[in-house]
Amino acid sequence: MPYHVRTSLPQILTTTDDERVRATMHIRLARADDVPATATLPVPAFTNDELYDPMFPRRIEYPSHFRAYFLRRYQMRFWSPDFVFHVGFGDKGDSAWFGTARIVGYAIWSRSGKSDVAFAWRRHGDTWRSRLELALLRAEEWYTDLFRLDRSIDYGFRDRFLATEPAEFEDVDEMWKLHNLATDPRFQHRGVGSMLIAWGQEQAHREGVCVGLTASIVGQGLYLKKAFRMYGVIPCPGFMDVPMMVWEPEGKKGAWGVYKDGKPKGLAATAEPRE
């Protein structure tokens, strides 16, 4: 399986006794038993995020339904070979340690394109079990939608919003896309979010492609600090235009132009997958 990860970031932390200790934040590939914890993080992290206002207008009233939406979505992305799912966690001696590591952040990536590199990434998790799990999850999603069981969602707006997804980076041929990123508010400013982003940037640098994402107003500041720039917007009727941002590797700054400006977008990846 093609894979490369920077696994840890040393930090100096302050304990309640004001004793200074060295602890480390880590990232790794997610396991199936990590997914419920990742579905809990968006509830506090996205409560005040304006991107979720029209789609989840009753998320505060129905927090368990809001969490259940992310659980279904993240389980599907975990089992799908189209996605690469990372989690962040603390070290022993960290405030995130409770006899075992607590999941304090996550990032979900995908690799688009028609190159051999892109196909290799999308094949890595295609197993008989993943196909079975996806079939069961899609049946659950169908049942939930049919009877409108999630009371936090505005289903009409969700359907209109999802119809805009094909326009995201439609003129970029090869890229890494960051679909989801969140950290536990209690463990922000500790570096785990930066590590989760850096994994995709490092992978894109080796493959000679860009990184793309859509960002809320709340999230744009973080991505600008990580050398992303504005790429364009996706019009969404009845809602704000959703900003798209890109990060470009050294030596290729500006190679991806701006959205729908008539310039070539991206360069075909030629790098070989890393084991």
Side-chain angles (χ1 to χ4, degrees):
M1 180 183 71
Y3 188 68
H4 177 84
V5 62
R6 185 177 69 185
T7 55
S8 63
L9 176 66
Q11 292 190 320
I12 296 293
L13 308 177
T14 303
T15 68
T16 54
D17 297 326
D18 203 29
E19 176 190 0
R20 297 183 70 77
V21 297
R22 180 166 291 278
T24 305
M25 303 301 285
H26 307 270
I27 66 172
R28 60 167 169 77
L29 281 173
R31 301 187 293 254
D33 59 358
D34 294 325
V35 180
T38 66
T40 300
L41 294 182
V43 177
F46 298 153
T47 294
N48 297 316
D49 193 318
E50 81 283 356
L51 279 184
Y52 292 87
D53 288 342
M55 189 182 299
F56 298 95
R58 296 176 293 277
R59 64 188 183 279
I60 296 176
E61 185 179 356
Y62 295 100
S64 63
H65 291 217
F66 189 44
R67 178 187 179 276
Y69 166 84
F70 286 103
L71 180 59
R72 293 190 302 272
R73 189 171 182 84
Y74 293 172
Q75 284 175 327
M76 293 180 73
R77 290 187 168 181
F78 174 81
W79 290 109
S80 170
D82 293 334
F83 297 93
V84 181
F85 200 143
H86 287 123
V87 294
F89 58 98
D91 218 358
K92 189 172 183 179
D94 194 316
S95 57
W97 184 267
F98 289 87
T100 185
R102 171 188 284 179
I103 302 302
V104 298
Y106 63 87
I108 304 176
W109 297 88
S110 70
R111 177 64 163 85
S112 63
K114 298 181 180 180
S115 66
D116 290 344
V117 175
F119 281 121
W121 280 103
R122 295 199 296 272
R123 286 195 301 266
H124 77 274
D126 188 10
T127 66
W128 68 266
R129 183 182 177 187
S130 68
R131 295 180 185 184
L132 175 60
E133 295 282 358
L134 280 171
L136 294 172
L137 288 164
R138 286 167 181 155
E140 179 185 357
E141 184 81 355
W142 174 83
Y143 183 85
T144 301
D145 284 0
L146 179 65
F147 293 101
R148 299 294 196 259
L149 298 180
D150 189 335
R151 297 186 179 183
S152 68
I153 293 179
D154 179 331
Y155 281 94
F157 180 87
R158 184 204 63 176
D159 294 342
R160 294 193 302 274
F161 184 80
L162 293 179
T164 68
E165 283 193 332
E168 291 184 9
F169 303 100
E170 61 186 349
D171 52 356
V172 177
D173 51 2
E174 299 275 338
M175 69 179 294
W176 277 96
K177 183 180 178 187
L178 178 57
H179 293 266
N180 306 99
L181 175 74
T183 57
D184 188 322
R186 295 169 295 180
F187 297 93
Q188 290 178 352
H189 310 295
R190 294 277 304 278
V192 68
S194 295
M195 292 178 64
L196 290 163
I197 294 170
W199 180 86
Q201 291 174 320
E202 291 170 3
Q203 196 64 47
H205 177 74
R206 277 188 296 275
E207 297 174 11
V209 301
C210 68
V211 175
L213 56 85
T214 55
S216 66
I217 294 173
V218 172
Q220 286 178 36
L222 170 63
Y223 298 123
L224 290 171
K225 290 179 181 178
K226 300 304 175 185
F228 284 78
R229 66 171 176 83
M230 296 304 299
Y231 177 70
V233 296
I234 305 171
C236 185
F239 185 45
M240 61 179 284
D241 291 341
V242 179
M244 296 184 289
M245 304 181 74
V246 295
W247 176 88
E248 299 159 310
E250 287 297 326
K252 295 184 178 178
K253 299 294 184 181
W256 282 266
V258 293
Y259 185 50
K260 288 187 174 179
D261 66 350
K263 297 179 182 178
K265 298 296 189 295
L267 302 170
T270 56
E272 293 297 324
R274 296 268 182 115
E275 293 294 336

